[in-house]
Amino acid sequence: MKNVITTFVFLLAISVPLSAQSKYEKGMQKAFGLWQSGNTNEAIALFERIGQAEKDKWTPLYHAANALIDAAYQVEDSNTKNNLLDKAKALVADAHQRSENNAELITLEGLLYTAIMSIDPATYGMTLPPKIQALHEQAISIDPNNPRALANKIEFEMGAARFFGKDLSPFCEKMKAII
């Protein structure tokens, strides 16, 4: 009986620290909860604070930038969009410094430039598509099995095909293969 109790106490003692969450994990969970519940600005602010505190981690900056890009698609005012996307651009640049050649960050940068292009397609439609395409291809070359990089590249190509009135079914088939 003594051995059973000793074993139980020992297993409990080593399992408790394994299940405990760090401040970083708790903060990230809270930020995701805020974002999911529609408190985007609070989530962005929390992701940014975590990013400032955790100088070695790129993911809080990634998620803050991602939320900003998403928020930019939700507003009509081009000045507001520009402000959101400028802030996202700075966060992506900071995250790149923390993690070079990161397929996730490169893919997010492609989404960022797609959002910038959506503000004024007449101005950016001739210059940004090659850059966006190159970013998606670079992300795929770094991580050929990254579903976000693959899906974002296909989605961007679908947008171009839709704009030019082309058949979307080949892109749908590519997307089904990823899913």
Side-chain angles (χ1 to χ4, degrees):
M1 186 69 174
K2 182 179 176 183
N3 287 341
V4 171
I5 292 172
T6 304
T7 303
F8 177 74
V9 169
F10 175 74
L11 290 174
L12 182 64
I14 63 168
S15 67
V16 168
L18 294 176
S19 66
Q21 288 186 319
S22 68
K23 285 177 79 174
Y24 170 77
E25 291 165 334
K26 286 179 185 176
M28 290 295 285
Q29 268 189 338
K30 183 177 179 182
F32 283 122
L34 288 167
W35 191 8
Q36 188 173 19
S37 66
N39 297 316
T40 305
N41 291 336
E42 292 175 40
I44 292 166
L46 184 52
F47 282 132
E48 287 181 292
R49 283 195 307 275
I50 294 167
Q52 289 170 352
E54 301 286 342
K55 299 279 187 208
D56 62 327
K57 296 192 173 29
W58 60 270
T59 51
L61 303 177
Y62 168 91
H63 292 298
N66 194 13
L68 285 162
I69 293 166
D70 186 50
Y73 278 109
Q74 308 304 317
V75 295
E76 295 296 322
D77 178 58
S78 60
N79 286 333
T80 304
K81 281 185 183 195
N82 276 326
N83 290 338
L84 292 169
L85 296 173
D86 284 346
K87 191 172 182 181
K89 194 179 214 179
L91 289 167
V92 169
D94 192 8
H96 273 306
Q97 289 181 346
R98 296 179 186 194
S99 181
E100 295 179 14
N101 293 321
N102 183 316
E104 292 294 340
L105 292 172
I106 295 166
T107 297
L108 185 65
E109 190 174 0
L111 288 176
L112 169 68
Y113 284 107
T114 302
I116 291 169
M117 188 176 69
S118 75
I119 293 171
D120 187 358
T123 300
Y124 299 117
M126 295 299 288
T127 57
L128 287 183
K131 180 177 187 143
I132 295 166
Q133 191 72 15
L135 287 166
H136 290 313
E137 289 173 9
Q138 181 184 1
I140 291 168
S141 73
I142 292 168
D143 185 358
N145 297 317
N146 183 320
R148 273 174 296 286
L150 294 166
N152 288 337
K153 180 179 186 284
I154 293 168
E155 190 174 342
F156 179 73
E157 291 169 346
M158 282 179 80
R162 187 178 297 116
F163 180 79
F164 290 110
K166 293 185 180 178
D167 179 25
L168 300 181
S169 57
F171 302 103
C172 295
E173 292 305 315
K174 288 181 184 179
M175 194 65 83
K176 284 179 188 175
I178 294 169
I179 294 170

